[in-house]
Amino acid sequence: MTIRVTWKRVVATLVGLALAGLLFAWSGLFNTSASSGHWAISNWFLHWTMRNSVRTHTLLEAPRNPIATDGQLVSAAGHFAAACATCHGAPGQRPSPVMQRATPHAPDLTTGETKEKWTDAELFYILKHGVKFTGMPAWGAEGRDDEVRRMVAFVRRLPGMTAAQYRALSGEATGAGTTDARALGGAVLAGCVACHGSDGRGRGQPDIPILGGQNPRYLEAALAAYADVRRHSAVMANAAATLTAQERRALAAHFAAMPGLGADLSSLGSAAARRIVELGLPARQLPACASCHGQGKAQPVLAGQRAAYIAQRLRNWRAEEGEIDARLPQDAMAVIARRIPEEMVDPLALYLAGETR
């Protein structure tokens, strides 16, 4: 007996299969519990689909700038210790047995498996966008590709890193809301010190600002903005998320009281940079930096700040790295930064830092 294949029969078969699938889902017979695991074929298919998706989308969205160097890993290490190590493990620290009961469970990043399986560009895509139907979230702040690039470099280093090296980089940060009974009457400090250092000087890292001597009102407002996601940074948002208003005020006062910023600027730097700081460039409608930044001003103190940090922030505001501003798009600094001549960004940063090189 020959069955004649017609479009009507094909459509009816497909509709019947769809209805049967819906009926099976409605019945509740399919076990969605994590403890049941995946069928082997399901596990293979999901991972195969994920690998293909990452490789295809990486072709369309590779990182626009180089992956960070070893000298820029402190903030990534601190964030990893606070937000990632529980699931993925760390040198000298196994992944949490509780989190390993997830389906699928997170890979242990201290092994060489991830390093061998993914390229830097693919890791960048995974860290930036996360993975659906797993516990892997997208990066916690939009437009901070600089943070993602640093995390890629850190993850690359993990398999060959000793426990001592990991603790040295991460500052032994233990999470957002890290507490130390010896500090600030039980308020949070250890998590801040992990990246910013006990002296508030950022542990010499080019991507971490000096906090010592900063305007305390500015520091307090910045912490509130990070916590409310009005200012974008996955690292700082995680660190500030659980702080109370009193803790933000205490931390701001603590770091502001330290020596660091506010020193007299050197007269040996670029004369053109000095003019921008003191007078601005009226022809370009660029106001003087000193009109807003300095001791007693509402905006942050810049004198003595790290040159690499200032230059990086200016370029973020100018959107030269394909990243959005670390603040709201309508922030005046986005407009001001674009009025600074490109050839003056680095000389201006060096002058404000009090460096002459």
Side-chain angles (χ1 to χ4, degrees):
M1 178 180 176
T2 302
I3 299 177
R4 184 182 171 201
V5 177
T6 65
W7 283 111
K8 287 184 179 180
R9 286 176 176 169
V10 170
V11 171
T13 300
L14 292 176
V15 170
L17 289 173
L19 290 174
L22 288 172
L23 179 62
F24 178 64
W26 173 82
S27 71
L29 294 175
F30 182 78
N31 191 348
T32 62
S33 64
S35 61
S36 67
H38 280 310
W39 294 331
I41 185 66
S42 301
N43 189 61
W44 170 84
F45 180 77
L46 291 172
H47 282 84
W48 179 72
T49 302
M50 179 261 197
R51 286 195 298 270
N52 292 334
S53 174
V54 169
R55 286 166 184 162
T56 297
H57 284 83
T58 296
L59 297 175
L60 306 175
E61 191 179 344
R64 297 180 55 176
N65 290 282
I67 300 303
T69 64
D70 286 356
Q72 301 177 15
L73 301 186
V74 165
S75 60
H79 186 62
F80 185 91
C84 311
T86 298
C87 292
H88 292 287
Q93 175 185 339
R94 297 183 61 185
S96 165
V98 174
M99 302 311 296
Q100 289 294 292
R101 294 290 289 169
T103 301
H105 62 267
D108 185 344
L109 296 183
T110 63
T111 69
E113 179 183 356
T114 298
K115 185 175 182 178
E116 295 169 359
K117 183 181 294 185
W118 306 106
T119 66
D120 285 352
E122 290 166 345
L123 279 176
F124 176 87
Y125 181 84
I126 293 170
L127 288 168
K128 182 176 180 178
H129 295 288
V131 182
K132 289 180 179 178
F133 307 119
T134 73
M136 179 64 189
W139 194 251
E142 295 183 5
R144 293 306 304 267
D145 286 6
D146 59 319
E147 292 183 340
V148 180
R149 291 196 301 271
R150 287 192 284 273
M151 186 58 79
V152 170
F154 178 75
V155 169
R156 279 287 189 222
R157 282 279 309 277
L158 271 177
M161 192 180 295
T162 67
Q165 290 171 332
Y166 172 70
R167 288 194 298 270
L169 273 176
S170 66
E172 299 186 82
T174 54
T178 299
T179 59
D180 185 342
R182 299 166 297 176
L184 299 176
V188 296
L189 181 62
C192 303
V193 168
C195 289
H196 291 284
S198 58
D199 59 358
R201 292 181 178 271
R203 299 180 60 188
Q205 300 297 301
D207 58 303
I208 300 177
I210 296 172
L211 300 185
Q214 187 56 269
N215 182 334
R217 289 175 297 172
Y218 169 76
L219 289 178
E220 184 180 351
L223 286 171
Y226 282 126
D228 296 341
V229 200
R230 288 178 285 113
R231 185 166 174 175
H232 299 283
S233 168
V235 177
M236 282 303 304
N238 188 62
T242 61
L243 297 177
T244 66
Q246 292 77 16
E247 289 168 342
R248 291 195 295 265
R249 191 171 302 113
L251 285 168
H254 174 79
F255 283 106
M258 295 177 174
L261 301 176
D264 291 336
L265 297 177
S266 171
S267 60
L268 301 178
S270 165
R274 184 177 184 179
R275 282 195 297 273
I276 292 176
V277 171
E278 296 179 353
L279 303 173
L281 294 176
R284 298 177 67 102
Q285 295 184 311
L286 176 65
C289 302
S291 64
C292 294
H293 298 278
Q295 296 289 358
K297 303 288 186 179
Q299 301 305 320
V301 176
L302 296 183
Q305 186 56 268
R306 189 165 285 111
Y309 179 80
I310 295 174
Q312 181 189 63
R313 294 268 50 87
L314 286 174
R315 289 195 166 96
N316 280 138
W317 274 308
R318 291 162 63 91
E320 290 181 2
E321 296 191 350
E323 298 148 5
I324 65 170
D325 169 27
R327 309 182 187 196
L328 295 175
Q330 65 266 30
D331 194 291
M333 270 306 303
V335 176
I336 292 171
R338 294 187 187 105
R339 293 176 181 171
I340 300 173
E342 166 57 28
E343 66 275 12
M344 289 305 303
V345 171
D346 289 321
L348 181 59
L350 288 169
Y351 179 81
L352 288 167
E355 300 178 19
T356 57
R357 57 182 173 82

